[in-house]
Amino acid sequence: MVGKVFDRMESVRPMATKAERKLIEEIRRIDKNVLIYLSITELSGLVDVAEATIVRFCRKLGYKGFQDFKLSLSQELGSEPKDTHSRPQQIAEDMIDAITETSKQIDHEVCLGIARRMVQAGKICVFAVGNSSIASLAVRYRLLRAGISVDASSDPHIQSIAVANLNEHDFLILISISGSTKDILSLAEIAKKRNVPVLVITNYDKSPLVKYADWVLLSSKKEAANEGGSLIGTVTQAYVADVLCTAVYEVLGGDAAEMRFRASDAVADKAL
């Protein structure tokens, strides 16, 4: 099937099921510039149509799934600013706005509670894939300076093996912007079978990943399908990670300060 997204929807209307016709009508009521930022879970709740129905409908339109549907719509709308001279400023403003909005969702007392559990853990793993791996490495680096060893492998096979060997005395952090990445969801499933405490850092509080979480920390920057790779979302994840690690330092108190001094002293001769 060829044609623009909304043209395709109209072309299948005569053969659409009752649920699909409802979906068509509801999608048409949503601003296209809002639609491209919705997760399938959010759209499902908004239009009161099952996620499976949305996926089947997208495939009926000739797309691989909802993400492919959004990508095509994003390409139609065009997301590049017309004034190229304003791009650096716009990126800066977007990053500031994203961090500001994320900060409003962070509860320091909740972070301290999570930090206390992390300090008591036998092992800590922080796993992510793609751009989110940047935040996982940031967590590993900051906690290592406090004397806490963290596994932050980006290899899905090693991640699975590591989680399969955790238990209720350990701690797992999963980072995913969408909260619907298959590899990360697989880790969450393994963790729950092992009764491993799970902290999720994500942008979507109704994503599939959240269902496995004991704690959730939300970042605010949502991505359109054609924005994958944007560092704005990664920056908000890194901000959340930094707030969490700072809470760990606070819980450790003087011990963390001593460890950080040792770490700084160990790398002092690395700089000119």
Side-chain angles (χ1 to χ4, degrees):
M1 183 180 291
V2 296
K4 293 186 176 181
V5 173
F6 278 57
D7 292 335
R8 293 191 189 193
M9 288 198 299
E10 287 306 312
S11 69
V12 302
R13 186 190 286 270
M15 63 197 78
T17 64
K18 181 178 179 181
E20 289 172 344
R21 288 196 296 272
K22 176 183 179 181
L23 181 58
I24 292 171
E25 293 302 323
E26 294 297 333
I27 286 179
R28 283 198 165 277
R29 292 190 179 98
I30 302 173
D31 186 316
K32 293 178 181 179
N33 289 291
V34 172
L35 180 59
I36 60 174
Y37 288 96
L38 295 177
S39 69
I40 190 170
T41 303
E42 289 177 316
L43 178 61
S44 174
L46 191 62
V47 303
D48 193 26
V49 173
E51 292 182 23
T53 299
I54 296 173
V55 173
R56 286 195 298 269
F57 180 67
C58 290
R59 289 173 178 168
K60 182 178 287 187
L61 296 179
Y63 301 111
K64 297 176 183 177
F66 183 59
Q67 191 74 0
D68 192 28
F69 169 91
K70 290 198 300 177
L71 177 59
S72 293
L73 183 57
S74 298
Q75 290 172 336
E76 288 179 18
L77 294 175
S79 61
E80 292 296 323
K82 294 180 180 179
D83 182 2
T84 57
H85 297 289
S86 70
R87 287 177 184 171
Q89 182 63 32
Q90 186 62 54
I91 292 172
E93 291 175 359
D94 286 346
M95 283 189 173
I96 292 170
D97 288 344
I99 291 176
T100 299
E101 289 304 309
T102 299
S103 70
K104 295 176 182 178
Q105 303 181 77
I106 299 293
D107 186 319
H108 184 55
E109 289 303 318
V110 171
C111 288
L112 285 175
I114 298 171
R116 293 186 188 101
R117 181 62 185 81
M118 290 174 64
V119 169
Q120 296 170 355
K123 299 177 184 177
I124 297 178
C125 292
V126 51
F127 292 143
V129 295
N131 263 25
S132 295
S133 296
I134 296 173
S136 68
L137 290 174
V139 172
R140 179 174 184 263
Y141 181 73
R142 285 217 65 196
L143 292 185
L144 186 60
R145 280 181 168 269
I148 299 175
S149 181
V150 177
D151 185 349
S153 173
S154 60
D155 184 299
H157 291 86
I158 293 177
Q159 290 175 349
S160 295
I161 294 170
V163 174
N165 284 288
L166 297 179
N167 58 46
E168 67 272 17
H169 303 297
D170 300 318
F171 198 90
L172 175 64
I173 303 174
L174 297 175
I175 306 176
S176 171
I177 286 181
S178 68
S180 57
T181 306
K182 291 181 179 179
D183 286 337
I184 298 301
L185 284 172
S186 175
L187 297 179
E189 292 173 358
I190 296 171
K192 280 296 110 175
K193 291 178 182 178
R194 300 282 300 158
N195 295 316
V196 180
V198 176
L199 164 65
V200 166
I201 299 176
T202 184
N203 284 17
Y204 299 95
D205 59 356
K206 295 183 180 179
S207 66
L209 185 59
V210 168
K211 298 175 184 177
Y212 297 95
D214 295 288
W215 301 272
V216 178
L217 294 178
L218 294 172
S219 51
S220 70
K221 176 63 173 72
K222 298 182 180 181
E223 292 183 340
N226 65 330
E227 290 180 341
S230 166
L231 288 179
I232 296 176
T234 306
V235 166
T236 61
Q237 290 179 328
Y239 165 75
V240 173
D242 204 46
V243 170
L244 178 63
C245 291
T246 299
V248 172
Y249 284 8
E250 187 174 339
V251 169
L252 289 172
D255 290 339
E258 182 180 347
M259 290 293 185
R260 291 171 69 184
F261 177 79
R262 291 182 190 175
S264 297
D265 187 56
V267 298
D269 63 347
K270 305 297 182 183
L272 296 176

